[in-house]
Amino acid sequence: MSASDPGRVRIGLLGCGNVGAALVGLVGEQADTIEARTGLRLEVARVAVRNLAKERSVTLPEGVLTHDADGLVHDPEVDLVVELIGGVEPARSLVLDALKAGKPVVTANKELMANVGTELFGAAEGAGVDLLFEAAVAGAIPLIRPLRESLAGSRIRRITGIVNGTTNYILTRMSEEGATYADALAEAQSLGYAERDPTADVEGYDAGAKVAILATIAFGASVVAGDVAHEGIAGVTTADIAFAHRLGYEVKLLAVAEQGDDGRVAVRVHPAMVPSSHPLASVRGSFNAVFIEGDAVGELMLYGRGAGGRPTASAVLGDVVDAAGNLRRGTCASIGALPRATIRPVDDARSEYYLHIEVLDRPGVLHAVSGVFAEHGVSIRSMEQEGLGDEARLIFITHDAAESAIQATLGALRGLDAVDRVTSVLRVVAP
Ligand code: NAP
């Protein structure tokens, strides 16, 4: 913070891509309003990028752009650092250096926070400055601050989120237009919603990083990306979605974090059948939403744009205003060192399940298949059968069952001569 002008806050920006460029634009648009409300005059003083020759969508004054990210962090003309590079390194080293230099840091980097967040919280605590990361989970939707502050008075039991816009867009196209997974993915790629290599989105890694961060904040114990069990959406078929509709459900990729009475934390990402009456079922296209269940608060849902340059930059700017205000007051709202969470193995999780099985169409098959469910203690809530020439399709919805019992049932079903293949297995969210 400038000694001659205590209201002036000089931002050092690491990265000027989708979000960084949008942030530069938004600071320009909002600086007067922010100054009128807070007395803080925000300026983008330095911007570090990888490639100085690249054309930018924003115009920066001469001398602001640099490729020297280390120099930016240590520059005495920078009061606060915003990290919008992405990935773990060099972002981690740059953020640690900034914190050690006593500069607050704002980041939108989920990979960074979900992998080395605890180390960074410790460094921020040690330096007595802010490390804020509202935009790292679900872009523009306020989640970190509500979980840390507004909901601190209620024990949070479960968080269920649609936190990946790409997969929600794909599943919405499959649900509403009857598109195949491959066609919906190709369309998402052509519209820029999906990367050329969509693995991080469709296999659930992106949602996994986000739910690790949400669990850490909601339960006050460190959960990392590697703790999250993943299943992606590549196996979801148009037939599954048609069955889901007939039974009164939508198929969604859910990121779930829950804490039991024993304090253990379960974190997982998987496609699931969500009752059409559930608020998450109506989250369409690239929108995100997070449904929170707590003891005192009951149920609530936060909904909005989970990505995109300007929506994400708006969350980053909110954090910048907060961190700049704290810097001026000489305070900080750091999370501090957190204990490691005890993770509950995914085998212990319980749910109702949908199973889609293709079998040979001959007498006695149904009896053999339902016998396997009974042997493993999995009780069947409903069953449908459809002929497919020499084969038949069996659709089961089970009652609540342990994941371990379902896995054992699937293993035994695959060993039956009459079972051609188990096409799909989806969890079913209770109404
Ligand atoms: P992006 O468009 O790829 O931009 C990355 C920027 O970082 C580029 O300007 C790049 O420079 C710069 N950069 C890369 N390595 C660098 C280095 N070693 N030193 C200095 N600069 C370097 O990424 P983005 O979409 O803006 O995302 C930024 C962060 O926000 C990521 O953590 C992402 O996960 C997070 N986020 C993004 C969204 C979204 O909708 N895009 C939503 C939520 C969160 P060049 O321009 O010269 O290549």
Side-chain angles (χ1 to χ4, degrees):
M1 195 155 272
S2 162
S4 58
D5 179 0
R8 185 172 169 225
V9 180
R10 296 160 300 180
I11 300 167
L13 175 58
L14 297 166
C16 193
N18 288 322
V19 184
L23 181 70
V24 172
L26 216 49
V27 170
E29 286 170 34
Q30 294 293 321
D32 290 346
T33 311
I34 291 170
E35 185 172 16
R37 286 186 190 161
T38 64
L40 296 163
R41 183 77 202 168
L42 301 183
E43 281 174 31
V44 178
R46 295 276 181 281
V47 179
V49 293
R50 199 169 24 191
N51 177 5
L52 281 178
K54 202 190 253 184
E55 203 170 314
R56 306 278 155 196
S57 58
V58 282
T59 318
L60 293 162
E62 186 102 6
V64 166
L65 208 60
T66 172
H67 64 262
D68 182 7
D70 287 313
L72 177 150
V73 164
H74 294 287
D75 189 334
E77 301 289 304
V78 165
D79 304 307
L80 179 155
V81 171
V82 177
E83 185 278 308
L84 295 172
I85 291 176
V88 175
E89 285 293 356
R92 170 184 161 276
S93 304
L94 292 164
V95 168
L96 283 172
D97 283 355
L99 294 171
K100 282 179 196 149
K103 298 181 186 186
V105 174
V106 174
T107 178
N109 189 335
K110 62 199 151 259
E111 243 185 300
L112 181 74
M113 297 311 298
N115 285 291
V116 295
T118 312
E119 180 188 15
L120 303 181
F121 294 147
E125 171 96 335
V129 291
D130 278 328
L131 168 64
L132 302 180
F133 49 95
E134 185 62 73
V137 183
I141 308 176
L143 279 169
I144 306 298
R145 201 169 277 103
L147 283 170
R148 273 183 75 182
E149 296 173 7
S150 327
L151 297 172
S154 178
R155 178 172 169 206
I156 304 300
R157 296 238 166 225
R158 186 187 293 125
I159 297 176
T160 310
I162 293 173
V163 289
N164 181 272
T166 305
T167 45
N168 203 50
Y169 179 83
I170 292 170
L171 291 171
T172 303
R173 296 297 289 168
M174 291 175 75
S175 172
E176 295 182 2
E177 314 295 329
T180 63
Y181 169 74
D183 287 347
L185 171 60
E187 189 189 326
Q189 285 170 318
S190 73
L191 291 170
Y193 289 150
E195 304 280 340
R196 197 174 302 206
D197 174 2
T199 311
D201 291 322
V202 300
E203 294 299 329
Y205 294 108
D206 172 87
K210 292 168 180 169
V211 79
I213 299 171
L214 290 179
T216 298
I217 303 306
F219 307 134
S222 164
V223 176
V224 297
D227 294 329
V228 182
H230 298 89
E231 283 166 41
I233 63 162
V236 176
T237 66
T238 43
D240 296 328
I241 291 183
F243 274 107
H245 286 172
R246 241 181 35 220
L247 299 165
Y249 294 90
E250 288 291 341
V251 176
K252 297 288 181 190
L253 182 69
L254 299 183
V256 184
E258 52 194 10
Q259 188 178 42
D261 288 335
D262 61 3
R264 291 189 304 163
V265 172
V267 269
R268 54 186 191 273
V269 174
H270 53 66
M273 290 184 17
V274 178
S276 307
S277 56
H278 192 290
L280 285 170
S282 56
V283 178
R284 299 174 58 248
S286 61
F287 276 86
N288 283 194
V290 175
F291 188 76
I292 300 171
E293 295 162 77
D295 278 355
V297 70
E299 298 175 348
L300 69 96
M301 188 164 93
L302 296 150
Y303 168 91
R305 290 251 171 237
R310 270 174 76 82
T312 307
S314 82
V316 172
L317 186 51
D319 276 352
V320 168
V321 172
D322 211 7
N326 283 345
L327 184 65
R328 185 171 57 174
R329 288 186 289 273
T331 61
C332 73
S334 88
I335 288 177
L338 292 176
R340 185 82 175 92
T342 307
I343 303 297
R344 196 178 76 200
V346 75
D347 272 5
D348 289 2
R350 295 188 70 85
S351 175
E352 295 181 5
Y353 286 82
Y354 155 95
L355 289 91
H356 179 164
I357 304 167
E358 283 174 18
V359 297
L360 301 179
D361 197 1
R362 63 184 193 211
V365 169
L366 185 54
H367 180 70
V369 167
S370 42
V372 169
F373 282 84
E375 264 168 48
H376 293 89
V378 176
S379 99
I380 295 166
R381 176 154 71 85
S382 70
M383 197 283 291
E384 280 188 38
Q385 180 170 8
E386 254 183 24
L388 297 169
D390 290 344
E391 295 208 326
R393 177 186 276 162
L394 302 179
I395 304 293
F396 293 95
I397 305 272
T398 73
H399 282 293
D400 188 57
E403 168 83 18
S404 52
I406 290 293
Q407 290 305 330
T409 306
L410 289 170
L413 286 172
R414 290 188 177 110
L416 284 185
D417 285 346
V419 171
D420 186 21
R421 61 193 184 116
V422 178
T423 316
S424 306
V425 181
L426 293 172
R427 287 166 184 77
V428 179
V429 174

